[in-house]
Amino acid sequence: MSRRSASRERMVRQVRVGVIGAGQLARMMIPAAIELGVELKVLAEADGMAAGLAADRVGDYTDVETVLPFAREVDVVTFDHEHVPQDVLRALVEAGIRVHPGPDALRYAQDKLLMRERLSDLGLPVPDWARVSTPEELDAFIAEHGGSAVVKTPRGGYDGKGVRVVRTAAEVAEWFAAIVEDGRDGALLVEELVDFRRELAQLVARRPSGEVVAWPLVETVQVGGVCSEVIAPAPHSAGRLADVAADVAVAIAEGLDVTGVLAVEMFETTDDRVLVNELAMRPHNSGHWSMDGATTGQFEQHLRAVLDLPLGGTGCHAEWAVMVNLLGGPAEGTLAERYADALASHPTVKIHNYGKDPRPGRKVGHVTAIGADLDDAVYEARAAAAALQD
């Protein structure tokens, strides 16, 4: 092939982004990729997953020999979740494949103890915490912190899983037994039980070349450890609170060398502190409102960031945006069977269907309402969500 032909082939060929994981986050990257003219390829864990529309292959994301051939066919690899093992991530990097976020950043999202240690080293605000390997160490921490504490398994927990509020170490006896059985000097994370007014989330996006942008700070409402609603921007947050939250999130993105979207879940405490609770190094439930409510939605922004393209504006289309998750869906039938009534009654609300079968507690979609009046937006979003589920 001549040099001219090779140059023309490069110009004609679409940029290819590979996503490991085929959940709803990968699914919602598809429209953004189409708009940008990016070819999206997905490595799905199984057939029939939410992002099956773009599934290039099905395979085990924990197996290097499965992931490497997939990764070699794309220009950059990114993720629907943070569960790809470190040895697989590092094998990709060693093979010369661009991985965003990279393994050195992702390890802090994969291990809460490492995350707490790193954020503490950076001088960022976190709850008082400790690494505990024995019931005696946990009971001592509880006694020093008013008789109760939050215990977390360092790896694998999400949506309230792997998290317990306890008064004695006996309440997590099976977790300590698992540590002993594992035999690898494991530990649990224990934190003070924070007295907070509300939960907040700050999303930022960062390019490999260093540009960082932040969306407005949002308020999140949790039900049973699962995000139920998001209000953007967080009411009564303008000024110091918004500035502090954005500064903390940018410091984390830069200090941990995160590329792509980063979600920092926070507590606003009753004594006016802002404490970091959790991190997610990918598009996040707390940012779904941005698809309809911001100049640049988080899924488009994530693709821009991992491709090291200039980042988009993060301003809001309206004064308020309210996102309500569809948890469980209808008891019988599908979401689509509820569309006619929901759309007719709430024509200003946007519906996002994840293509999942309804199941109690499962995130099967979300709705977003935007407008100049917060009460109206809340009503429309909640009412539309109610019309779509039981």
Side-chain angles (χ1 to χ4, degrees):
M1 182 183 293
S2 69
R3 254 186 223 178
R4 186 171 180 179
S5 297
S7 175
R8 177 174 174 76
E9 182 182 2
R10 283 195 298 273
M11 290 185 346
V12 170
R13 181 179 66 79
Q14 288 180 295
V15 174
R16 299 164 300 183
V17 174
V19 183
I20 298 179
Q24 65 259 27
L25 302 182
R27 180 187 180 94
M28 287 184 276
M29 290 184 204
I30 297 171
I34 292 171
E35 291 176 356
L36 289 172
V38 170
E39 183 179 0
L40 201 75
K41 292 177 175 287
V42 173
L43 174 61
E45 299 93 321
D47 290 320
M49 296 193 68
L53 295 167
D56 182 65
R57 63 184 68 192
V58 175
D60 182 1
Y61 65 79
T62 69
D63 176 49
V64 172
E65 298 307 315
T66 298
V67 177
L68 265 176
F70 167 78
R72 287 193 173 109
E73 295 179 357
V74 299
D75 298 296
V76 61
V77 169
T78 190
F79 308 94
D80 172 82
H81 56 72
E82 294 110 337
H83 307 312
V84 180
Q86 281 286 312
D87 63 325
V88 174
L89 296 172
R90 296 191 184 278
L92 298 182
V93 173
E94 289 168 7
I97 294 160
R98 288 193 293 164
V99 179
H100 294 303
D104 288 337
L106 278 169
R107 66 193 185 111
Y108 297 111
Q110 294 172 337
D111 190 312
K112 293 180 175 64
L113 278 168
L114 287 180
M115 182 262 288
R116 283 287 181 254
E117 290 169 358
R118 181 61 178 147
L119 296 187
S120 297
D121 289 343
L122 291 170
L124 295 170
V126 297
D128 195 19
W129 67 277
R131 175 189 180 99
V132 293
S133 301
T134 67
E136 292 76 19
E137 290 175 343
L138 176 54
D139 280 330
F141 185 96
I142 292 170
E144 293 168 2
H145 291 80
S148 59
V150 178
V151 182
K152 300 179 180 179
T153 55
R155 303 180 70 89
Y158 67 96
D159 283 348
K161 300 177 179 68
V163 179
R164 290 184 190 172
V165 177
V166 303
R167 293 187 176 278
T168 71
E171 295 175 69
V172 287
E174 74 275 25
W175 291 358
F176 281 115
I179 289 172
V180 173
E181 184 178 348
D182 186 57
R184 291 189 291 182
D185 298 321
L188 301 175
L189 171 64
V190 59
E191 300 176 346
E192 65 171 305
L193 183 59
V194 175
D195 187 12
F196 61 88
R197 288 194 189 99
R198 57 179 173 170
E199 295 184 71
L200 305 168
Q202 177 65 64
L203 263 70
V204 299
R206 180 173 179 266
R207 296 168 60 186
S209 55
E211 181 189 7
V212 185
V213 297
W215 283 273
L217 180 68
V218 303
E219 178 176 342
T220 65
V221 178
Q222 313 291 320
V223 176
V226 179
C227 181
S228 175
E229 299 180 3
V230 174
I231 300 173
H236 312 297
S237 64
R240 174 189 169 276
L241 180 59
D243 292 344
V244 168
D247 288 346
V248 167
V250 170
I252 293 172
E254 294 176 341
L256 276 56
D257 195 24
V258 180
T259 47
V261 168
L262 166 70
V264 182
E265 296 180 81
M266 302 174 172
F267 297 124
E268 180 187 7
T269 69
T270 54
D271 57 357
D272 295 321
R273 292 179 296 159
V274 174
L275 301 178
V276 176
N277 182 25
E278 302 282 359
L279 304 180
M281 297 180 188
R282 50 172 169 74
H284 187 257
N285 201 167
S286 63
H288 289 350
W289 69 272
S290 66
M291 300 169 70
D292 305 307
T295 302
T296 310
Q298 65 168 343
F299 296 99
E300 177 187 340
Q301 197 83 287
H302 186 72
L303 293 175
R304 289 193 189 201
V306 300
L307 290 168
D308 206 13
L309 294 172
L311 301 179
T314 54
C316 299
H317 292 316
E319 191 169 349
W320 299 103
V322 177
M323 188 281 299
V324 176
N325 274 324
L326 302 176
L327 299 175
E332 295 183 1
T334 66
L335 283 180
E337 291 171 357
R338 303 286 186 96
Y339 279 179
D341 289 342
L343 293 172
S345 301
H346 307 283
T348 62
V349 171
K350 297 287 287 185
I351 298 173
H352 297 267
N353 186 336
Y354 302 162
K356 294 180 173 182
D357 293 330
R359 191 175 68 205
R362 190 182 203 188
K363 292 177 185 175
V364 296
H366 71 268
V367 300
T368 308
I370 66 173
D373 184 85
L374 177 57
D375 289 340
D376 287 346
V378 169
Y379 170 78
E380 287 295 325
R382 288 179 179 173
L388 291 163
Q389 59 189 344
D390 295 314

